[in-house]
Amino acid sequence: MGPEQVLAAIGATGVRARPGTGDDAVVGTVPAVVARPRDTPEVSALLGAAARHGLRVAAAGNGTKRDWGAAPTGCDLLVETGELAGIEHARGDLVVRTGAGAPMDGLRALLGRAGQRLTADPMVPGATVGGTVAAGVSGPLRMLHGPLRDLVIGMTVVRADGVAASSGGVVVKNVAGFDLGKLHTGGWGTLGVITSVTFRLHPVPAAFRLVGARFPDPVAAAGPVGAVLASQAVPAAVELDWPPGGGPVRLFVLVEGAAEGVDARAGGIAALLGARDVRDALPDGWGTLPGEPECTVLKIAAPIRGLPVALTALRAEAGTGCSFRGSAGAGVGYAALPVGTGADRVARVLARTRDALPDGSVTVLRQSPDLRGLPLDRWGEVPGAELMRAVKDRFDPAHRLAPGRFLDH
Amino acid sequence: MPDAMTGPAALAPRLRAVCGADGVVTDPARRRTYESDGITYHSAVPGIVVLPETTGQVAAVVRLCAEHGVPFVPRGSGTGLSGGALPRPDGVLVVTSRMRRVIEVDIPNERAVVQPGVFNLDVTRAAAPHGYHYAPDPSSRQVCSVGGNIAENSGGAHCLKYGFTVNHVTGLEIVTPRGDVVRLGGKAPDAPGYDLIGVFVGSEGTLGIATEITVRLTRAPQRTSTLLAAFPTMDAGGRAVSAIIAAGVLPAAVEMMDALAVEAAEAAVRCGYPEGAGAVLIVELDGAAEDVAAQFEAVTALCRAAGAFAVRAADDPAERARIWKGRRSAFAAVGRISPAYIVQDGVVPRTALGGVLARISELSARSGIRVANVFHAGDGNLHPLVLFDDAEPGAAERAAEVSGAILDLCVEHGGSITGEHGVGVDKACHMPRMFSDDDLATMDLFRRAFDPDGIANPEKVLPTPRLCGERPGVVRGEHPLVASGQAELF
């Protein structure tokens, strides 16, 4: 549908809108129109109008992950949530409710001033709350505090038919009803447009120490990782960082807690690792994705002991140009394949790494622009795919929400 | 509605072919033993009971139900406190108590794989020799099943720090309401695609039956310290809780009891709590030894500053058990000072605790119904025990009214109608107080994706006109009068 028709279709909503441009493209698909609603009722009105006119809709926050995932097969309307930026911080309850468009950086700063934090790592700088939650990407702190979905305690989502619905609430302990926020966390906006998220928070720890060690490769690091996990030092993060090139893999263990205790705990871990590098600063790139801005990024999720095996297979096929950063303690991380890695090679890397990881998954989060339009098995085998498709069919029967973005194969 | 020809009884021969003769219960007296779960107020004799031993048998049973349009209700140990396992006279009760095998304890990967009938505590028992435990610890953990925990997203006193069941499950094998066996996730976290595990956990048996469960194991803490502080008033105790949280301490558990609850516990188990306490606070800290030591000092100082007139500490298991004894016995103890009582389960934002407790006192004074308060103070999860004499005409109704009004207070303050006992049949009609029709319809959309014909644990969780009247929420749901004594409740 052309911009004029789309603008006419949503005109009655009164929501600010303009024709889309190349800068608005979602994985190369240029939306006909971009709308900027101010609140949940406006998102409802837009999606209601879109439903009546059969418009294909995608959502974006600040657009930091526009090049992630599969290209939508079409996009008549891009809903930008940037204006939904309100933040209500219930400080005494360690809870924050935010609009989907609130920037994560701003949220972090606001909470920090109150001595609190959302234990979700930055991962993608400049991202909004909604985009971060829809992508569901978690970093180093997930080891102790759980992945992003564990921090979401309430959510409001506008469905494909324009109906706004909430689940969860503003209290952490709550088992009333289905926790649909889990479904939308990492749902890539294919089941609805997130308009508000409520998170549980944690106090900022009084002190932290980072212990660093180097090993020839992830297999050599596996024993020491196991020793750290078997210790009772309660690390907040156990990270592997394997930069490109033939160099060693770096292992970082983060301990957080009372100022009186961190040195002793870090010392104990350093002794286990035979390491001398103990600092009170985080290394460059901590809590962000590896690789250059336009490289291909894979997500690897493995049983703890399966991760080194998977990384060995990954390097064997991808070569030393490939890098990895992720939680050896949780078994989840991200591999970056440099720009210029061809589709055939990406396919071989995926196949070999998946073979090495029967009880885990390797998925493509982002493909470099030169791979656009080329066939890529982004998901691999997805247990329960049939049920997931049934859920999609119920929530979006006409498949108008980010069509082609979920289980595209 | 299935009749005798098509209903559950007609399925008996085929169910026997699946589960064996001793795996199918048709005898009325034996069926009656399953008529209720942990709350006996709701009861219904199941049409037929099956006791499968394998995933294949569960799937075959559910397929038979699906083919014949017969509803089924899953049940673990039957300790639930919301009537989630309330059977149906026109349905099949699928009991997982014969699926009680710990399949694997995988310490290097920090996982255990278990069948659904395994007792919660048995997971910890299997992991303990390796220095690990299974973190969710509902008070019925000695007898409640992991499958039931999956259905209810069970918590426990320590979920303040360690989270609920959903935070500890990485893999499920489920039998869907159509009888298909589907694997979701495994030992690896973050199963690809939609997080169906995240919604299945806590869906109260309405999305199918978990037949194999992979859980995270947690390294046992180096040190655990427990502190008991006595305050002159609830208000002072509440101030201490706020101060602890504001100081950035995240205890493993924070429990509070009021004077009436302490009095009952004292009479029942002589727990030796300080005399004259208007409120008793139990704070448990665990973790790395250095951290616990520092936090312990801070918490002690904060309690004293808030007005604690006595503070006791316990570092070894025996002393800890003494401190916990009164708290753990509280529900049963109240049973000794009152002929009958209702256990309520509601949640308020922690900062609203003081105000809500004051309103509960007013309610109690106005109605003449005594309320003992026992609660997980750290996360605002109240368990008011509403006391009454069931021999006194009208007392049960007045108690139910007070209990319902307490839930209203929770919702009014932005809280929840259930923190851990679940919705089940007991609170389905309360759901509209917390959620809009659109919210509930959206939950139903999800449910229908799994169960298009609505045969999996029907009339639980979501309100229906039959259950709640044409205008859900206007008719007040009935409440349990007496909690069963199947397990230590707290």
Side-chain angles (χ1 to χ4, degrees), chain A residues 149 159 166 174 190 230 305, chain B residues 109 194-195 219 416 439 442:
Chain A
R149 65 151 213 185
R159 296 189 327 215
S166 301
N174 174 17
T190 58
R305 286 299 175 116
Chain B
N109 286 316
Y194 298 142
D195 181 14
R219 184 72 173 98
S416 171
D439 300 340
T442 305

Side-chain angles (χ1 to χ4, degrees), chain A:
Chain A
M1 213 177 272
E4 294 77 16
Q5 287 164 288
V6 175
L7 286 169
I10 64 168
T13 65
V15 178
R16 195 148 57 99
R18 60 172 172 82
T21 71
D23 289 345
D24 302 310
V26 180
V27 201
T29 302
V30 179
V33 165
V34 178
R36 239 180 129 73
R38 285 168 305 186
D39 51 25
T40 299
E42 286 202 350
V43 177
S44 269
L46 277 175
L47 265 68
R52 286 189 294 280
H53 293 88
L55 305 183
R56 294 161 296 178
V57 180
N62 201 22
T64 57
K65 294 177 283 294
R66 274 184 206 289
D67 53 350
W68 286 36
T73 52
C75 182
D76 303 306
L77 177 64
L78 183 71
V79 178
E80 279 188 354
T81 59
E83 305 288 324
L84 284 74
I87 297 177
E88 298 164 48
H89 182 199
R91 189 173 169 162
D93 294 319
L94 284 163
V95 162
V96 69
R97 182 176 184 172
T98 79
M104 289 293 281
D105 297 338
L107 176 63
R108 206 167 282 120
L110 181 144
L111 298 175
R113 287 195 288 276
Q116 297 181 6
R117 64 174 178 172
L118 175 63
T119 50
D121 301 278
M123 302 314 287
V124 182
T128 60
V129 165
T132 301
V133 171
V137 184
S138 305
L141 287 174
R142 68 167 295 152
M143 185 190 153
L144 187 62
H145 295 285
L148 191 59
R149 65 151 213 185
D150 285 3
L151 307 171
V152 174
I153 59 170
M155 195 182 282
T156 300
V157 173
V158 176
R159 296 189 327 215
D161 59 2
V163 170
S166 301
S167 58
V170 298
V171 287
V172 174
K173 198 168 181 183
N174 174 17
V175 293
F178 297 150
D179 190 3
L180 297 183
K182 298 274 190 292
L183 200 58
H184 297 286
T185 305
W188 295 78
T190 58
L191 297 175
V193 176
I194 299 169
T195 61
S196 156
V197 183
T198 306
F199 295 106
R200 71 172 300 185
L201 304 172
H202 288 83
V204 173
F208 74 88
R209 295 288 184 274
L210 188 80
V211 184
R214 285 162 195 267
F215 298 92
D217 56 53
V219 173
V225 166
V228 172
L229 297 182
S231 79
Q232 291 170 306
V234 199
V238 177
E239 282 286 289
L240 279 185
D241 188 11
W242 204 10
V249 61
R250 295 182 291 180
L251 176 66
F252 295 110
V253 180
L254 177 69
V255 290
E256 299 182 328
E260 299 89 330
V262 286
D263 283 318
R265 290 162 63 200
I269 287 168
L272 280 176
L273 299 179
R276 289 200 196 128
D277 176 11
V278 179
R279 307 174 234 179
D280 56 2
L282 299 173
D284 287 345
W286 177 268
T288 62
L289 294 176
E292 298 303 310
E294 294 204 323
C295 69
T296 295
V297 177
L298 314 181
K299 175 178 176 177
I300 300 175
I304 294 165
R305 286 299 175 116
L307 189 62
V309 183
L311 295 184
T312 303
L314 172 84
R315 260 291 170 94
E317 196 63 53
T320 54
C322 149
S323 57
F324 175 84
R325 194 177 284 155
S327 176
V332 179
Y334 305 93
L337 307 178
V339 176
T341 308
D344 290 352
R345 189 160 192 194
V346 174
R348 285 201 305 276
V349 170
L350 286 171
R352 185 150 177 189
T353 315
R354 283 171 182 156
D355 279 350
L357 193 53
D359 190 8
S361 63
V362 183
T363 49
V364 180
L365 279 191
R366 179 177 78 192
Q367 61 286 305
S368 67
D370 49 334
L371 297 179
R372 264 180 213 159
L374 300 175
L376 204 55
D377 181 6
R378 285 188 180 73
W379 298 89
E381 191 196 334
V382 176
E386 201 183 320
L387 279 175
M388 293 174 195
R389 289 185 208 284
V391 171
K392 170 75 175 170
D393 289 345
R394 291 272 167 178
F395 277 75
D396 179 21
H399 288 219
R400 291 182 300 98
L401 278 186
R405 296 268 278 165
F406 177 72
L407 295 188
D408 49 300
H409 58 285

Side-chain angles (χ1 to χ4, degrees), chain B residues 468-482:
Chain B
C468 312
E470 286 301 329
R471 293 185 58 207
V474 175
V475 178
R476 171 153 289 145
E478 288 167 323
H479 276 265
L481 297 182
V482 184

Side-chain angles (χ1 to χ4, degrees), chain B residues 161-488:
Chain B
K161 179 172 180 177
Y162 291 101
F164 316 94
T165 299
V166 71
N167 307 124
H168 297 272
V169 177
T170 58
L172 287 177
E173 176 191 74
I174 63 169
V175 171
T176 71
R178 288 177 155 175
D180 298 326
V181 179
V182 177
R183 278 194 171 271
L184 303 170
K187 288 182 184 174
D190 289 18
Y194 298 142
D195 181 14
L196 298 185
I197 292 174
V199 193
F200 189 94
V201 176
S203 61
E204 305 194 16
T206 62
L207 303 178
I209 302 176
T211 48
E212 193 183 293
I213 298 145
T214 306
V215 297
R216 286 171 54 205
L217 297 174
T218 302
R219 184 72 173 98
Q222 188 174 23
R223 181 160 169 190
T224 303
S225 289
T226 308
L227 169 150
L228 181 142
F231 296 86
T233 62
M234 288 290 273
D235 203 38
R239 279 203 308 276
V241 175
S242 297
I244 291 166
I245 301 296
V249 176
L250 180 59
V254 180
E255 302 290 311
M256 198 146 111
M257 295 164 72
D258 69 3
L260 184 54
V262 170
E263 179 202 315
E266 206 60 63
V269 297
R270 296 182 186 280
C271 45
Y273 287 175
E275 272 179 45
V280 160
L281 191 65
I282 298 172
V283 181
E284 189 149 285
L285 300 160
D286 71 6
E290 298 87 352
D291 246 33
V292 172
Q295 289 180 349
F296 193 83
E297 233 170 90
V299 170
T300 305
L302 291 168
C303 285
R304 293 219 183 267
F309 63 82
V311 178
R312 286 180 199 166
D315 279 325
D316 70 67
E319 282 176 57
R320 264 211 311 280
R322 265 196 297 282
I323 286 183
W324 276 104
K325 190 176 176 188
R327 172 64 184 87
R328 288 190 191 280
S329 73
F331 284 20
V334 162
R336 293 168 50 126
I337 63 163
S338 175
Y341 64 97
I342 299 170
V343 181
Q344 191 47 281
D345 167 43
V347 187
V348 295
R350 191 166 35 229
T351 47
L353 264 179
V356 169
L357 289 171
R359 297 276 297 275
I360 292 176
S361 302
E362 286 168 29
L363 268 174
S364 172
R366 211 166 46 231
S367 62
I369 295 278
R370 289 192 298 168
V371 178
N373 284 294
V374 174
F375 53 94
H376 309 296
D379 37 30
N381 187 190
L382 303 169
H383 287 314
L385 304 166
V386 183
L387 316 187
F388 65 99
D389 182 351
D390 48 358
E392 184 191 324
E397 289 72 17
R398 278 187 294 140
E401 212 163 290
V402 168
S403 178
I406 291 173
L407 277 194
D408 287 342
L409 277 177
C410 292
V411 174
E412 205 178 290
H413 284 82
S416 171
I417 59 169
T418 171
E420 54 187 7
H421 293 174
V423 176
V425 70
D426 194 47
K427 287 181 175 170
C429 300
H430 289 271
M431 286 287 277
R433 299 186 193 183
M434 207 175 146
F435 295 107
S436 72
D437 288 351
D438 285 339
D439 300 340
L440 295 170
T442 305
M443 292 179 193
D444 194 50
L445 266 186
F446 184 78
R447 182 179 189 162
R448 295 290 165 176
F450 275 67
D451 182 19
D453 302 322
I455 63 164
N457 214 8
E459 300 199 315
K460 309 288 168 64
V461 187
L462 299 177
T464 65
R466 197 195 71 83
L467 207 60
C468 312
E470 286 301 329
R471 293 185 58 207
V474 175
V475 178
R476 171 153 289 145
E478 288 167 323
H479 276 265
L481 297 182
V482 184
S484 94
Q486 288 208 51
E488 127 195 301

